[in-house]
Amino acid sequence: YVYTGSSSTSATTYWDTTGAKVSGLANVSVASANTSTTIDSFSSSTYRSAKYLVQVTNGANYQVQEVLVITDGTTATAVTYGIVQTNGNLGVVTATQSGSTCSLKFIAANATNNVRITKDYLLV
C-alpha cells in the first residue's frame, strides 16, 4: 500500500495478490449532464504533463479511456484515445488552464455518473 496525507492517511495505490497495481482514489460524482466537472488538477509550475486512465460508470453502462494532458503554463491540451464503451458515449474529457493550475474535466452525456481515475505526472 502507498498512503498519502499528513494528519490522516488514505491508501491511494496498492498492489493486489496477482501483482496488479490498483488505484485507491475515490470516485468523483458527476451529477449533471453537459456540465464540466473537475476530476483532477495539478500545478503546472511543478508538472508539465500527465497520463490518465479514466473509468466512467452510469448505472450498468461503462466507459474507459486513456488521456494525455500537456500544459505550457498558459494553455492545457488533452488528447483522448483507446475509448471502450459498453453502451454508447458517457461523456468527454477536456483540460483547462487557470493560473498555475491545470485541470482535467469530465463533461457527462447523462446525469449521475461516477468517474474514477489513475494518474501519472511528469515534472517540468
Side-chain angles (χ1 to χ4, degrees), residues 15-22:
W15 285 260
D16 74 8
T17 57
T18 68
K21 179 181 163 188
V22 180

Side-chain angles (χ1 to χ4, degrees), residues 46 74 98 107 112 123:
T46 306
T74 303
S98 178
I107 304 169
T112 318
L123 293 167

Side-chain angles (χ1 to χ4, degrees), residues 27-45:
N27 281 331
V28 175
S29 178
V30 179
S32 301
N34 302 314
T35 301
S36 180
T37 302
T38 299
I39 57 175
D40 189 51
S41 60
F42 61 87
S43 170
S44 59
S45 300

Side-chain angles (χ1 to χ4, degrees), residues 37-106:
T37 302
T38 299
I39 57 175
D40 189 51
S41 60
F42 61 87
S43 170
S44 59
S45 300
T46 306
Y47 305 106
R48 175 74 63 227
S49 59
K51 180 179 180 180
Y52 295 92
L53 187 61
V54 179
Q55 174 184 278
V56 184
T57 301
N58 181 288
N61 302 317
Y62 310 101
Q63 177 173 307
V64 66
Q65 59 207 349
E66 287 192 286
V67 182
L68 293 178
V69 176
I70 193 161
T71 178
D72 61 7
T74 303
T75 303
T77 304
V79 64
T80 301
Y81 57 95
I83 302 169
V84 180
Q85 304 158 332
T86 61
N87 196 19
N89 181 40
L90 295 181
V92 297
V93 176
T94 63
T96 61
Q97 183 76 34
S98 178
S100 64
T101 302
C102 181
S103 297
L104 186 71
K105 302 194 176 246
F106 183 74

